[in-house]
Amino acid sequence: WTPWTLYTRSMYGRYTQELGVYAKEEAARLREEAAFRRLVTERSRSLDLLEYDKSRCAKCRICTVHCQKFLISRVGEDWIFLILLGLVMALVSWVMDFCIALCLQAQKWMYGGLDSNVVLQYLAWVTYPVVLISFSAGFTHIVAPQAAGSGIPEMKTILRGVVLKEYLTLKTFVAKVIGLTCALGSGMPLGKEGPFVHIASLCAALLSKFMSLFGGIYENESRNIEMLAAACAVGVGCCFAAPIGGVLFSIEVTSTFFAVRNYWRGFFAATFSAFIFRVLAVWNRDEETITALFKTRFRLDFPFDLQELPAFAVIGIASGFGGALFVYLNRLIVQFIRKQKAINKFLMKKRLLYPALVTLLISTLTFPPGFGQFMAGQLTQKESLVTLLDNRTWAKQGIAEEFEYIGHAAAWKHPQANVFITLVIFIVMKFWMSALATTIPVPCGAFMPVFVIGAAFGRLVGESMAAWFPEGIHSDGVVYSIVPGGYAVVGAAALSGAVTHTVSTAVIVFELTGQISHILPIMIAVILANAVAQSLQPSIYDSIIRIKKLPYLPELGWGHHEKYNIRVEDIMVRDVRYITLNCTYRDLHDVLLTERLKTLALVESSESMILLGSIERAQLQALLSQQLGRPRRLEYLRQRAQNERKQVSIVSTPSSEEGNHKANHEVRFQISTEESTFSPSRSVSPKPLKPALKRHSVVERGTEIPSSQDSGIALKSLFCAHPEAAAVEIAEWEELQLDEQVNFNNCKIDPAPFQLVERTSLHKTHTIFSLLGLDHAYVTSIGRLIGVVSLRELRKAIEGSVTVKGVKVRPPLASFRDSGTSSSDAEVTELHKLWNRHTNLTLPQDHQPSDSDEKSQ
Amino acid sequence: WTPWTLYTRSMYGRYTQELGVYAKEEAARLREEAAFRRLVTERSRSLDLLEYDKSRCAKCRICTVHCQKFLISRVGEDWIFLILLGLVMALVSWVMDFCIALCLQAQKWMYGGLDSNVVLQYLAWVTYPVVLISFSAGFTHIVAPQAAGSGIPEMKTILRGVVLKEYLTLKTFVAKVIGLTCALGSGMPLGKEGPFVHIASLCAALLSKFMSLFGGIYENESRNIEMLAAACAVGVGCCFAAPIGGVLFSIEVTSTFFAVRNYWRGFFAATFSAFIFRVLAVWNRDEETITALFKTRFRLDFPFDLQELPAFAVIGIASGFGGALFVYLNRLIVQFIRKQKAINKFLMKKRLLYPALVTLLISTLTFPPGFGQFMAGQLTQKESLVTLLDNRTWAKQGIAEEFEYIGHAAAWKHPQANVFITLVIFIVMKFWMSALATTIPVPCGAFMPVFVIGAAFGRLVGESMAAWFPEGIHSDGVVYSIVPGGYAVVGAAALSGAVTHTVSTAVIVFELTGQISHILPIMIAVILANAVAQSLQPSIYDSIIRIKKLPYLPELGWGHHEKYNIRVEDIMVRDVRYITLNCTYRDLHDVLLTERLKTLALVESSESMILLGSIERAQLQALLSQQLGRPRRLEYLRQRAQNERKQVSIVSTPSSEEGNHKANHEVRFQISTEESTFSPSRSVSPKPLKPALKRHSVVERGTEIPSSQDSGIALKSLFCAHPEAAAVEIAEWEELQLDEQVNFNNCKIDPAPFQLVERTSLHKTHTIFSLLGLDHAYVTSIGRLIGVVSLRELRKAIEGSVTVKGVKVRPPLASFRDSGTSSSDAEVTELHKLWNRHTNLTLPQDHQPSDSDEKSQ
């Protein structure tokens, strides 16, 4: 449990399937608890009712309850839930914005107050963000390391049906909210959109839990997924006051298939949330009425000329390349830090050093009297955006002097450099700064920084156009001058669309600016940017998913018609491991050793191969442990003892040597649950642990377990006294037990696992996998099991086909996937060791670290 | 084949499942043809290449081919397809708009030219639309009756995976385009949105066919569905020049689950289409640059006051009720005409009378010098909308006189009546007129009329508000007067949203008006309108789906948490009819007689009940007919003849009596394909045809068939000569044949039908059914078949639960479903008659007309 461990996990952590299993079990436990709690509260409520029945206001109370019931039955619990969600998120968003604004004002005030001394000024300018970011990183790390980063990749995974542990807890909520406020308050180029999606989901999950106290349907799994999908929309919606764009953006980044039902929910909640968010601003006298966040005032009658479209297209294409570059750069930085062992070790020790160093570097470069004067360093992100979307042209006639500087826009003017140079420096510097800043392990997103860079790039093109055509392009006599602000809007939408691989940024831009007059240029630029970016790199969220090794399914490429011709039979694994209805425990045992899939197929017999269902690995392990486990073993020993009428002293202190033996036997009969506990110390060590160490750890656990099984303690010593003889006998007994036929009566069998046919196309398989969130499907032919396809095969088939024919130069993140350290040792079960013992340790089973792909399924 | 038949079909036609089977077969045939054609063209192309190889420009040619290949591999065929689709649709839309504008101008010109004589003027005003509508109805009827109506309900059904015959053919395209142009050119309150969705889909289907000539992937079924989904978006997009709204609207009205992949395609194609559509207007000098269709110019800085929100909410709620009323009214009219036998019969004879009468009524009422003067009758739909969205206030200080009338807005002013009265009359009259007009069997939609009515309603509220608060509501000293045009925008979005049950009308409104400043009021009004309308009535499209008895799956209600508690075991049919692997032909025969499902379950044996797969009914019928069919029968007869060494004269003319017998035998051994051909004359006659009539029709077919089986003609006469003896022997032979075991070798078996578990919740079942477009699923328990759930059970369960607890007053269209005439006689197979013969006709099998619900599955 080194500090670096958690740091790594929070930013580049891996989630294996075992985590999923554990989380599911925990979820089941939580559900049971919640059900119990509800029962209790319901009972207490009915008691309350009875009590009040006798009092005077009984009628009143009953009436209230009836009203409540009526309201719920009419309006529906979902609606109430969505309204509450919207309200809470709007409040959170507004309060957070308020705090962030305060933080930024404080920095400005400090900086302004010390203008007599540049050194002091510099110290104030630099220390403030370093302290805030360090606090944010430290706080996040201590309270909930899961809160670091954007949150959208994780939400995408969760909405795919994977349960990520600790991702939707109150702790994470607190860490995310406070961490994000501090991070944004520091003035670093970080965004709030991604984290807001996560915060809204957290909010929805917590609200569900809270409302389940009042009874209802708040525990249903399908419903939770639906509510989380709505929450994602709310997150974006209340962050930008952009309900429509929010819904669309959340659909695009989190879903592959989307239920129109959820879309409705999302619309409702996001609108309500955006409304409250903006109403709060009005009530706070910040605004006169509800308007857009970054209102623009471009002319309506002639927004742009048709002949300006090539310029917009150029913005789109350039943004596409820029977006891909950003994703690549971001990944490169992560990769670099991971690879440099020396840096890595050093940073491991001082976890807060990396955030502090990055912050120091960035704030030094933006120091306004220093280099910052060439890149409008004193402007906050919001101020930059407002000035960039400004209605006026900065470089009339190409000469900066003619421009009247009002308010913050003055920052763009430099006595020595003209506006073009300032803009270019701003774009280049902010570009790598944003890519670097988003790797800091604090809650932060990349959307807003990218948006601002895009706006600056658009502004640059717009100003150039304005300088080139000072009288406008239109030839019909009327002079319609070029509006560089419009170009900025186009650039912002295009670059953010390219980085996130979405087209809904166009809608977000309309809602942010309150103007839709540039719809066609924006749509064209966004589509071009997407086309370019999608063919070069994955989206920033997919990139993070792959870095974090979350389970994913790649999208089918565009226009690669091989995908229609590849059939399941071409990609399926034909050598399926299965268990038969009449198999023995030995077969079960062997299958469990050789097969690592989460679920196993159950067939009628190895001749008929008729698929009857699938059984989870854990269930089989439970069966095996039941057969060979402590109670039965003790039973056997007791009987043997009775048979041989041996007298054994009840009290005997096991020696260290005996303890070891005992441990070995423990190992032998205990089906470990180790693979479902996520122990960070194991996931990091690249080599399997030494057997001795392992044995030791097992001894530790071995000594813990008996406390819950006191009845066995006495008898256990029975064979400890004669360890060698007992071991032989036990082995014999075991052999007998293993030859018995398995009794599946108490085993949970999924009787309808998903089945495909050999001729199912890759395209359809992909559709079904993503529709239903499968991770494997059996291939059957007239009831006979003939193969299995898992996410892994599918992924290989898709990425293979894309690499061969498509425009992708290399499989995205191929280098990452190779360099991924294996965490397979966590999977080495005690059963495996048992097997090793059976082969008398002469043939040490070479347990190869399985492909890391397999793990991330 | 009465005229009314086709008329009924075109408007209220029913599509049975058999139609689907036939259509699939036909689709398979078409695919084969296309593949063959492609092969041919490819060959001829390679020949061309060879030829050119020798000529001088060989290099040139090869280079071109390479370039083409390169382009396709890089850009992707999908993109080319989408660009072409967008281009074609933009051209179609623009040309159509141009023609419609010409038609409307012509009417105005006629009306204006005859202003000396009111009677002549009236005649001109009335005759013109009557002629156009009659022509449209007649043309549509003759060329392709499928082209009538909106097209969105059918597209929804097609996207659900159902194949509707003749729905995507060139004929339908021609009929729809020309019919729609005439219908809209008549000035009736009809819309072009719905038909445009259909036209775009037609266009995509035809383009697919056309591009398959050049090779490629244009035959894949999944791909076609994807392209149709994109086409729907293009349809709306190029109709309103609203790409984003178009994509969203098409998602909402056609899908339950949506692939984000398709959304991308839709965006791309719709944007391109909208762009071209607007560029054409610029090139035609209609516009200076690309702007919105119905551009508004509301003030940006203070679009509305927070205190105006209650008024917007009122518009939303009222629109919700209005929308539900509209759907109800529309259905009521259809119902009324259907029920009135006398009217029905009369209209049946004169098919064009109904459209003409409706048109006459509507145009009489809108005659400007007559009643039309009180409802701005002389304005076309487009003009009305432009005036309604006007920036100015019509009723300043509540007195109409102060208003300066410019252009078309003058139509709203009447010397005797004030603006409020005109608006109220306009709303009321247009409301029922639109509901009536959309029942005319011409290609037409209801979106635009509803949109205009909504705008008028909004305007009414806005004008009232302006009259009530002449100085605006804002209290801070600055006077911001109320903008009634903003209310009109809100009303338009709300009412059209209520009728179609969509929220994306909000986005369409932004794109249509080019202003997004009223986003929050619009969103609030649309959401409220939807909430009200959805709880009262189905959407107009679902209403039509139910009227036409297309297969559908109702949506799950809101907030009815029973849906989480109902399990599949509660709703499944436990008495599943199945066939076993070792069954005899007799079992097959019996099952086919008693079971009417499209597919039958195949189990291992009736003891084990292990589900092996499902077989289509048609396949089983083919098996049976193979066993008992003509070739084998003839074989038997030939053998018998050889055995008995009988001499038969080869040439014998069968008498009329013998012919009858022959027919009977024909009937006996022929598995009819009648149920897969859709014969309108059968679907309409409410009673089963008389046996004699049936026999006659069979004779006709019987005489046709031998032509393809010449080898049998000679031998057939064999037993015709001794009909009675032969019949007995044949019956014996048949009994023997029926006792044989079925050989499934040549039978297509679906080895992986969809399976559910007993504990699957209704909610999940619904999700899976709508995700995968299933129409039935088997319920299994550890491989054992224990039940089946079809769309019908699911529908009952959902509607049942909604009726009991929900806000729906009655199951939507319950009365319709009862009154539906059964077309089950088309399903009476000859097998059935065979069975009747077996029971010696003493026990006439009471063939009850099956529930019409079952048919529409």
Side-chain angles (χ1 to χ4, degrees), chain B residues 4 7 129-130 133-138 188 347 350-362 437 439-442:
Chain B
W4 181 244
Y7 171 71
V130 169
I133 288 282
S134 301
F135 170 74
S136 174
M188 286 289 103
L347 291 179
K350 311 276 177 196
R351 199 175 332 105
L352 297 181
L353 203 62
Y354 177 69
L357 278 178
V358 169
T359 314
L360 184 69
L361 176 66
I362 293 174
T439 64
I440 303 177
V442 294

Side-chain angles (χ1 to χ4, degrees), chain A residues 294-296 298 375-376 379-394 408-409 412 419 422-424 426-427 430 448-463 483-492 513:
Chain A
F294 295 100
K295 203 159 56 183
T296 55
F298 306 139
M375 53 175 285
L379 296 187
T380 63
Q381 224 167 50
K382 206 173 165 179
E383 287 163 356
S384 315
L385 195 54
V386 169
T387 52
L388 287 170
L389 299 182
D390 195 49
N391 205 11
R392 293 153 302 179
T393 310
W394 292 349
H408 297 300
W412 293 100
V419 171
T422 323
L423 275 172
V424 169
F426 178 86
I427 293 163
K430 282 281 176 183
M448 211 55 197
V450 165
F451 196 82
V452 173
I453 297 167
F457 176 68
R459 185 94 208 177
L460 180 65
V461 176
E463 293 288 346
V483 183
Y487 285 76
V489 171
V490 172
T513 60

